[in-house]
């Protein structure tokens, strides 16, 4: 008795491929710098409506990592000479040690006093594409809230 | 290249790469006849040559006159004997091959121990690959006195949505839809009954976290073994390879 074998032609299932963490073919490219640029691009949409409401506003942009975050990309809005605490609009991305599942958070908060003006509910996702999508969603949610930024910059109770 | 294109292109290399490691578990009917009852993986485990499969495959195989393992085309199959370690919880079995099992031939190899992933790391973000022998087309061939089995190389993502019957902690689900599967020789659709796939190894192909340019089948890792088919939910259920390290030698099947 002996045995032999031939292949069947079985088409692979493609359902769920959005979770496939294949680097290099993602819409945000393959690295954190692309993701950071995307987030910054979305947050920058706040500039025009915020300046329209407060002409003297000064803006800074930046990013860092650490404290458990893979990326914290932010935009700061300051009403100079007002004594009111500047506002930071930021998106934070954290991952598990394996780099497989991520949590994306976004908020508008005081730079010095740390008060939370607005917070986007945290999103837990798996896979790089989902990270990019969630980061964009969170950024767009924040970018749609210039009034939160303006109200905070006009709130005299927030003097630092 | 899109993900879909990459996946389509990866199946054939994975099939060719893994074929040398899979085996058919053949229930012995008599000295001239056998019947394929399940699939398995030839591997090195704890430094020894083993065949890993599903426990229920072994239990079904020994209902006849024991079972045999293929040793290569045109060669007599190996008639198994001795103890088999069984996992009562995870439905796994490890058969430590006795010393009289033939040395490996080029077409019959043993999967390296360090490429068996005993965790669930990156299961959800990698592409899963199953390779085994469906039962329906396995058949006895008088001319070559053997069991001829066409292997089924198949790929899909993990099913992460909850199932009607919840999975155990050691299990995971793989999307499985047998429609559209073809017999290459006859160029027509065949219904693939995946019963005989029980015991088939499941790999994650190793693309997760890597680029297409970096990938080759040599990055693939065995992550589990097929133990169930839930036809109504179109999934295969696999037991994680993590169960292998929890198996107790006290649960042995002797024949």
């Amino acid at each position: 008795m002996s045995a032999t074998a031939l292949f069947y032609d079985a088409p692979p299932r493609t359902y769920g491929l959005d979770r496939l963490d294949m680097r290099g073919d993602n819409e945000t490219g393959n690295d954190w710098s692309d993701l950071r640029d995307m987030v910054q691009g979305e947050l920058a949409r706040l500039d025009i409506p915020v300046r329209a409401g407060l002409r003297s506003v000064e803006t800074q942009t930046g990013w860092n990592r650490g404290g458990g975050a893979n990326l914290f990309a932010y935009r700061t809005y300051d009403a100079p000479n007002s004594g009111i605490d500047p506002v930071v609009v930021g998106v934070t991305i954290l991952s598990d040690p394996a780099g497989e599942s991520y949590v994306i958070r976004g908020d508008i908060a005081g730079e010095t006093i740390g008060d939370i003006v607005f917070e986007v509910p945290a999103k837990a996702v798996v896979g790089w594409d989902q990270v990019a999508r969630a980061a964009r969603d969170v950024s767009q949610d924040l970018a749609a809230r210039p009034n939160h930024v303006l109200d905070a910059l006009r709130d005299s109770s927030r003097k630092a | 290249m899109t993900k879909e294109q990459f996946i389509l292109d990866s199946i054939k290399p994975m099939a060719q790469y893994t074929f040398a490691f899979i085996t058919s578990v053949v229930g012995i009917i008599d000295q001239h006849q056998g019947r394929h009852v399940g699939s398995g993986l030839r591997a090195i485990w704890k430094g020894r040559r083993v065949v890993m499969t599903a426990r229920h495959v072994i239990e079904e195989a020994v209902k006849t006159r024991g079972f045999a393992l293929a040793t290569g085309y045109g060669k007599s199959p190996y008639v198994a004997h001795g103890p088999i370690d069984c996992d009562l919880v995870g439905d796994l079995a490890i058969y430590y091959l006795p010393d009289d099992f033939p040395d490996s031939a080029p077409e019959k190899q043993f999967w390296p121990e360090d490429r068996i992933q005993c965790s669930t790391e990156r299961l959800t973000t990698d592409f899963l690959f199953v390779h085994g022998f469906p039962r329906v087309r396995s058949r006895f061939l008088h001319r070559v006195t053997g069991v001829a089995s066409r292997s089924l190389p198949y790929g899909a993502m993990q099913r992460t949505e909850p199932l009607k019957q919840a999975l155990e902690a050691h299990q995971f689900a793989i999307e499985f839809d047998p429609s559209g599967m073809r017999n290459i020789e006859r160029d027509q659709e065949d219904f693939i009954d995946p019963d005989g796939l029980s015991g088939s190894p499941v790999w994650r192909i190793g693309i997760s976290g890597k680029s297409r340019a970096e990938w080759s089948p040599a990055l693939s890792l065995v992550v589990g073994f097929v133990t169930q088919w839930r036809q109504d939910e179109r999934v295969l259920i696999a037991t994680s390879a993590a169960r292998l390290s929890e198996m107790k030698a006290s649960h042995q099947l002797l024949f």
Side-chain angles (χ1 to χ4, degrees), chain A residues 1-13 15-23 25 98 100 126 129, chain B residues 1 3 73 75 77 122 124-125 137 144-147 149-151 154-155 158 161 175 182 185 209-211:
Chain A
M1 192 164 69
S2 63
T4 185
L6 300 164
F7 291 156
Y8 275 103
D9 182 19
R13 292 276 286 167
Y15 177 80
L17 273 186
D18 56 332
R19 271 186 282 115
L20 184 67
D21 188 11
M22 188 173 93
R23 303 299 170 91
D25 290 306
E100 190 171 22
V126 174
D129 283 358
Chain B
M1 177 182 279
K3 288 179 179 178
Y73 184 69
K75 296 178 182 174
R122 291 193 176 273
T124 54
T125 58
R137 295 294 172 187
V144 296
T145 57
V147 173
S149 302
R150 288 186 174 81
S151 78
Y154 176 76
Q158 182 183 1
E161 294 85 355
E175 298 284 343
R182 288 188 304 119
E185 283 186 327
K210 294 187 169 57
S211 68

Side-chain angles (χ1 to χ4, degrees), chain B residues 44 71 133 160 229:
Chain B
I44 300 295
T71 58
F133 299 98
T160 54
W229 171 40

Side-chain angles (χ1 to χ4, degrees), chain A residues 4 9 37-38 42 49 58 76 80 97 101 105 107 117 129 134 138:
Chain A
T4 185
D9 182 19
D37 292 346
M38 185 269 287
E42 294 293 340
E58 292 181 354
T76 304
S101 59
R105 296 194 178 103
D107 60 33
V117 176
D129 283 358
V138 170

Side-chain angles (χ1 to χ4, degrees), chain A residues 82-105:
Chain A
S82 68
I84 297 174
D85 194 34
V87 169
V88 180
V89 183
V91 174
T92 306
I93 303 174
L94 306 99
S95 76
D96 67 0
E100 190 171 22
S101 59
Y102 300 81
V103 174
I104 296 90
R105 296 194 178 103

Side-chain angles (χ1 to χ4, degrees), chain B residues 119-131:
Chain B
S119 74
T120 56
E121 182 182 342
R122 291 193 176 273
L123 275 194
T124 54
T125 58
D126 209 334
F127 198 67
L128 303 180
F129 178 80
V130 176
H131 201 176

